[in-house]
C-alpha cells in the first residue's frame, strides 16, 4: 500500500462555504462526507485517541452528530445513544435548555433510562462553535451519572464555550495545525477560495 503523503486533516478542504446568508451555519462539513475516503479518514482520526476500554457508549447530538456518532459507534463497536431535539422522544425524558450559535434558546433531551450510572460516554457532534449544544449534552450525560469519556467533533472553535469544554474534557477534532485552527476560529477557510461544487 502506497504511503499517504497528504497532510493530516486534508479532507477539511472538501467542506463547502455557506452560500445562503447569515441565517445559516458558516460552512457545510457534510460536503466532505460524500467522499468515501475522506469520511472514513475523518472517523478514524476522531477515534484514534480512544482505547476500546475508555468508551462504553457513543452519543450523537441531533442531527448532524448522528452521522459521525453512528459511524464512530460502528468503528469502535459500541452502542449509540441519540441526544434528540426536544419533543421527539415518545418516552420519559431528561431535557436541558441552552442557546446555540444562532443565540436562539433550544432544548435537548435523552431518555431517562439512557444508561447505567458510571457508563463512559463519548459525545459526538459535527462542530462546536459556541459550545452551547455540547455543554447541554454533557449536562444530560452527567445528570444521569454518566462519565464523559470525551468529546469528538470535526472542529472545536476556540470560542469561550469551546475553550471551557477543552479545559475540562478530553476533546478530539480533525484539526491538527495552528494555521487551520486559526482559520476556523475566524470562520474563513483558505480552501473556500478554490472550492468547487460537484
Amino acid at each position: 500500500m502506497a504511503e499517504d503523503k497528504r497532510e493530516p486533516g486534508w479532507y477539511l478542504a472538501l467542506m463547502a462555504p455557506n452560500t445562503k446568508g447569515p441565517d445559516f451555519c458558516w460552512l457545510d462539513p457534510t460536503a466532505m462526507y460524500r467522499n468515501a475516503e475522506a469520511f472514513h479518514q475523518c472517523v478514524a482520526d476522531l477515534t484514534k485517541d480512544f482505547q476500546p476500554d475508555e468508551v462504553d457508549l457513543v452519543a450523537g447530538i441531533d442531527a448532524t452528530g448522528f452521522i459521525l456518532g453512528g459511524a464512530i459507534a460502528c468503528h469502535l463497536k459500541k452502542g449509540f445513544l441519540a441526544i434528540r431535539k426536544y419533543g421527539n422522544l415518545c418516552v420519559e425524558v431528561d431535557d436541558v435548555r441552552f442557546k446555540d450559535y444562532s443565540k436562539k434558546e433550544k432544548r435537548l433531551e435523552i431518555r431517562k433510562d439512557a444508561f447505567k450510572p458510571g457508563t463512559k460516554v463519548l459525545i459526538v457532534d459535527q462542530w462546536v462553535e459556541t459550545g452551547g449544544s455540547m455543554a447541554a449534552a454533557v449536562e444530560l450525560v452527567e445528570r444521569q451519572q454518566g462519565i464523559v469519556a470525551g468529546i469528538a467533533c470535526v472542529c472545536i472553535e476556540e470560542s469561550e464555550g469551546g475553550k471551557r469544554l477543552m479545559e475540562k474534557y478530553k476533546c478530539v477534532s480533525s484539526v491538527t495545525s495552528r494555521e487551520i485552527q486559526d482559520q476556523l476560529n475566524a470562520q474563513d477557510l483558505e480552501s473556500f477560495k478554490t472550492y468547487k461544487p460537484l
Side-chain angles (χ1 to χ4, degrees), residues 13-148:
L14 302 177
M15 298 188 295
N18 172 352
T19 60
K20 294 178 74 173
D23 291 336
F24 295 85
C25 186
W26 66 275
L27 83 174
D28 175 24
T30 66
M32 73 175 173
Y33 302 162
R34 299 171 298 176
N35 180 305
E37 192 177 358
F39 185 54
H40 286 265
Q41 186 61 58
C42 178
V43 169
D45 288 347
L46 293 177
T47 55
K48 66 183 179 184
D49 289 335
F50 294 99
Q51 298 301 315
D53 62 351
E54 289 184 85
V55 177
D56 299 319
L57 182 68
V58 176
I61 300 175
D62 200 346
T64 52
F66 292 173
I67 302 167
L68 281 176
I72 285 172
C74 286
H75 188 82
L76 294 175
K77 296 181 172 55
K78 303 296 180 179
F80 179 77
L81 170 68
I83 300 177
R84 301 298 309 273
K85 292 173 183 173
Y86 182 74
N88 284 303
L89 288 171
C90 62
V91 294
E92 293 298 309
V93 300
D94 285 331
D95 71 273
V96 65
R97 296 175 188 269
F98 70 99
K99 288 188 179 178
D100 70 359
Y101 68 91
S102 68
K103 309 287 192 290
K104 294 177 183 173
E105 186 171 280
K106 298 187 177 179
R107 291 161 84 179
L108 288 175
E109 66 182 13
I110 59 173
R111 58 191 309 122
K112 282 200 170 179
D113 61 346
F115 45 78
K116 294 178 180 178
T119 298
K120 294 172 284 190
V121 183
L122 173 60
I123 307 176
V124 180
D125 203 358
Q126 179 171 259
W127 206 266
V128 169
E129 188 169 333
T130 62
S133 57
M134 184 58 73
V138 165
E139 183 177 340
L140 287 170
V141 168
E142 293 183 336
R143 189 184 290 173
Q144 289 202 26
Q145 300 178 56
I147 298 167
V148 176

Side-chain angles (χ1 to χ4, degrees), residues 1-2 5 15 17 26 43 59 70 81 98 104 119 145 149 151 153 156 159 162 166 175 178 181:
M1 185 180 205
K5 295 183 179 179
M15 298 188 295
W26 66 275
V43 169
L81 170 68
F98 70 99
K104 294 177 183 173
T119 298
Q145 300 178 56
I151 291 168
C153 306
I156 302 173
S159 59
M166 289 187 282
V175 183
R178 183 73 253 168
Q181 184 69 58

